[in-house]
Amino acid sequence: MNKHTVRLLLTISAGILLLVMNGCGCGMTDNSSIDNKIRAEELVISGSSSMEEVNNALADAYIAAHPGVKIRVQALGSSEGIQAAIEGIAQIGASSRSLTDEEKEKTTGLKEICVAVDGIAIVVNPANPLAGISTEQVKAVYSGQIRNWSEIGGTDHEITVIRREDGSGTLGAFCELVMGEKEKNTRFWPPSIVQNSTGAILNTVASDTNSIGFISMAAVDSRVKALAVDGIVPAFDNVKSGTYRLQRPYNYVVVGTPIGIEGSFIDYALSPEGQVIIGEAGAIPIK
């Protein structure tokens, strides 16, 4: 065998070896690293519909400062968001209420980080002449003891009672602050209309002149009228000072110590810049 033949055989063997290595996936290390990097730069925040505007505002600002990062905000309700964090479906659960003892027992290391405070506004249709209501009157309306607006200084019309769905963070806070007990123990007037989002309550109250509902103060707009409660108007300064007592935390729920993108995002939410964004989105900053 001459030297030219040997060289040809060596070249062919090297080519075959390279093809085999590529076919076995030996050359996929770089692609795997890229995939891992992409996964590390995707953040899912799932939970409270009341926190949706705050979450979106923070997400937009964070993405602008960190090009290439992807953030998905899901407004499925506080309980769903907490469960998503527990199951690892979302890195951050957004909850407009505190964790329950049952939730804390579901997994080790579940923690809540308060990033803002929000007031719960009692809202009626703008055509309703009533300007204010007491906490006890709200409780009586939602328990069915008061059925007509005329019983509390309004017109002679039956009250359309609207509330949030079971598991809603707003409902949980409302039950404790107004009804005086935990959600699981609260008994609402059976004909109450149940809506599954802040937006749905806004639309229903806006379309029914005899309705009453409760929503995040940050979500109040011209479609509804927010009533003073116990003589105190639901306003930024009154929530911050504590004089308006229908208020609850906006929490980010995580499992363990937040690291990576979720840790960075929460740090951003608590930074001076993040707190300004939270205030501009209608919630009350904690710093």
Side-chain angles (χ1 to χ4, degrees):
M1 185 180 295
N2 60 41
K3 61 181 181 180
H4 296 293
T5 302
V6 172
R7 287 175 182 170
L8 179 60
L9 290 173
L10 289 172
T11 302
I12 292 172
S13 297
I16 293 172
L17 180 61
L18 181 60
L19 288 171
V20 171
M21 289 175 66
N22 286 338
C24 292
C26 298
M28 296 179 67
T29 302
D30 289 343
N31 289 336
S32 296
S33 297
I34 291 171
D35 289 343
N36 287 334
K37 184 177 180 181
I38 290 172
R39 283 195 292 271
E41 292 182 349
E42 290 181 335
L43 175 64
V44 178
I45 305 170
S46 181
S48 169
S49 65
S50 298
M51 292 179 66
E52 184 177 15
E53 188 168 347
V54 166
N55 292 337
N56 281 328
L58 287 170
D60 289 344
Y62 187 89
I63 290 170
H66 302 80
V69 168
K70 296 179 181 179
I71 300 178
R72 283 190 289 135
V73 174
Q74 302 171 335
L76 305 175
S78 294
S79 294
E80 293 292 336
I82 293 168
Q83 189 62 34
I86 291 172
E87 295 177 0
I89 298 172
Q91 294 104 314
I92 297 175
S95 176
S96 55
R97 62 168 173 79
S98 299
L99 291 169
T100 65
D101 292 337
E102 292 82 359
E103 287 166 340
K104 293 175 183 178
E105 293 171 357
K106 285 184 177 180
T107 188
T108 302
L110 190 66
K111 63 177 66 175
E112 53 194 346
I113 301 165
C114 183
V115 297
V117 177
D118 178 52
I120 295 178
I122 308 301
V123 294
V124 296
N125 188 278
N128 192 316
L130 205 66
I133 195 168
S134 71
T135 302
E136 285 303 312
Q137 287 172 334
V138 178
K139 180 178 179 179
V141 167
Y142 274 88
S143 62
Q145 296 174 332
I146 292 178
R147 302 277 298 278
N148 194 294
W149 283 112
S150 62
E151 297 178 62
I152 50 176
T155 55
D156 184 16
H157 290 286
E158 186 175 352
I159 302 172
T160 306
V161 179
I162 305 167
R163 71 173 180 91
R164 285 293 302 275
E165 80 286 2
D166 295 347
S168 156
T170 308
L171 179 69
F174 177 86
C175 288
E176 294 196 20
L177 294 169
V178 175
M179 306 304 284
E181 53 193 355
K182 294 186 179 296
E183 179 188 333
K184 64 181 180 181
N185 299 322
T186 301
R187 297 292 177 266
F188 289 99
W189 187 48
S192 300
I193 297 171
V194 178
Q195 298 289 8
N196 63 359
S197 70
T198 299
I201 287 189
L202 272 169
N203 290 332
T204 307
V205 173
S207 64
D208 186 342
T209 56
N210 299 312
S211 61
I212 187 170
F214 53 87
I215 60 173
S216 163
M217 195 181 79
V220 174
D221 60 25
S222 60
R223 290 176 290 172
V224 298
K225 178 170 68 174
L227 299 178
V229 178
D230 298 325
I232 306 297
V233 175
F236 183 98
D237 289 341
N238 293 337
V239 173
K240 196 167 185 178
S241 68
T243 54
Y244 185 81
R245 72 175 201 85
L246 300 188
Q247 55 179 276
R248 39 68 183 276
Y250 274 177
N251 292 330
Y252 282 149
V253 177
V254 295
V255 178
T257 301
I259 59 175
I261 187 172
E262 59 265 37
S264 176
F265 183 85
I266 292 173
D267 286 344
Y268 180 75
L270 293 171
S271 71
E273 181 180 349
Q275 291 288 291
V276 169
I277 292 168
I278 285 172
E280 291 174 345
I284 290 84
I286 60 169
K287 295 184 178 180

